[in-house]
Amino acid sequence: MRKVVVGILALAVIVAVIVFLSAREDTSSTDETVLRLPSGAGARRTARPADEGTATVGGDVLGAPQSQDEEASAKDDSEEDPETEEPQTEEEKREAAEEKLVNDFDDLTDKWQEASKKSVTMSDIDNFVKMFRSVPKDRQGECIHRALNLIPDENVMLLAGVLMDKSMNKEIVETVYNDILNRDEDVKKPILQQIFKDKSHPCWADTAWILDVTGELQKDN
């Protein structure tokens, strides 16, 4: 019986030693874990990471995303207001209308730069004269000089229409007349003979003298 009691006591001592050693190992493990933590880890507040692509200066976040309203406002400020066209003054309207008349006549002149495949008709002459009359008086000089330089002999009857129009400014008539005199004989003679038939024409006297000198009057007689 005594041996049994001693055995039980010995077993109890062994169990107590095992429990003691086991508890010690748990305590050591806990201490080791605590030692790995940085000093003051329990009291330190975790900082919130700033948004990617931003920087902080003095605690303020730079480059933080703007709200939609702010972006829209910035966009409106950056866009330049389109220049609004001011209404034309009466003077500007008048000048624009005159310029169109000049351009229209010049365009018509351009169409007659090449020799016409068919004879110039009376309708063509009337239209040419009508378009020229519509040109402002102070622009007719430049337009007729341009026409004289561009229109060939084959289409000279267009210019003759201006020459025979007594309502034209005398300077315009004389300008066309002098151009006709510098063209070939076959071109100018029929026109001179037509002028000679009308003694009221401003160029009749010069025409009569030219025809007399060249002997054309004698031929007619």
Side-chain angles (χ1 to χ4, degrees), residues 151-162:
I151 293 179
D153 290 348
E154 292 80 0
N155 301 331
V156 73
M157 293 308 295
L158 297 170
L159 300 173
V162 177

Side-chain angles (χ1 to χ4, degrees), residues 75-190:
K75 184 177 181 180
D76 292 340
D77 293 341
S78 63
E79 293 180 354
E80 297 181 358
D81 293 332
E83 296 182 359
T84 56
E85 295 184 1
E86 297 182 358
Q88 288 184 324
T89 63
E90 292 300 323
E91 179 67 16
E92 291 173 337
K93 291 179 180 179
R94 183 185 64 80
E95 291 178 353
E98 291 182 355
E99 193 65 28
K100 183 180 185 304
L101 294 173
V102 171
N103 292 335
D104 288 345
F105 179 76
D106 287 345
D107 290 342
L108 178 62
T109 298
D110 292 341
K111 294 179 180 180
W112 291 101
Q113 288 188 74
E114 302 297 332
S116 178
K117 295 180 180 180
K118 59 180 181 178
S119 300
V120 176
T121 66
M122 284 302 301
S123 177
D124 295 331
I125 297 173
D126 291 342
N127 184 54
F128 188 84
V129 174
K130 179 181 178 181
M131 292 284 287
F132 181 71
R133 279 203 211 99
S134 67
V135 174
K137 297 293 185 181
D138 59 344
R139 303 290 299 276
Q140 286 184 350
E142 64 183 83
C143 288
I144 199 63
H145 276 96
R146 184 175 184 275
L148 295 175
N149 290 328
L150 295 178
I151 293 179
D153 290 348
E154 292 80 0
N155 301 331
V156 73
M157 293 308 295
L158 297 170
L159 300 173
V162 177
L163 177 62
M164 301 304 296
D165 188 345
K166 297 177 184 178
S167 67
M168 289 290 174
N169 184 284
K170 185 178 180 180
E171 293 182 0
I172 296 296
V173 172
E174 291 177 346
T175 298
V176 178
Y177 183 77
N178 291 330
D179 177 81
I180 297 296
L181 293 178
N182 291 322
R183 294 185 183 249
D184 292 340
E185 292 295 322
D186 294 340
V187 174
K188 67 183 179 182
K189 281 183 181 180

Side-chain angles (χ1 to χ4, degrees), residues 190-200 204 207 211:
I191 297 175
L192 292 177
Q193 291 172 353
Q194 186 66 29
I195 294 174
F196 184 72
K197 295 178 182 179
D198 184 5
K199 289 186 177 182
S200 64
W204 182 88
T207 300
L211 293 177

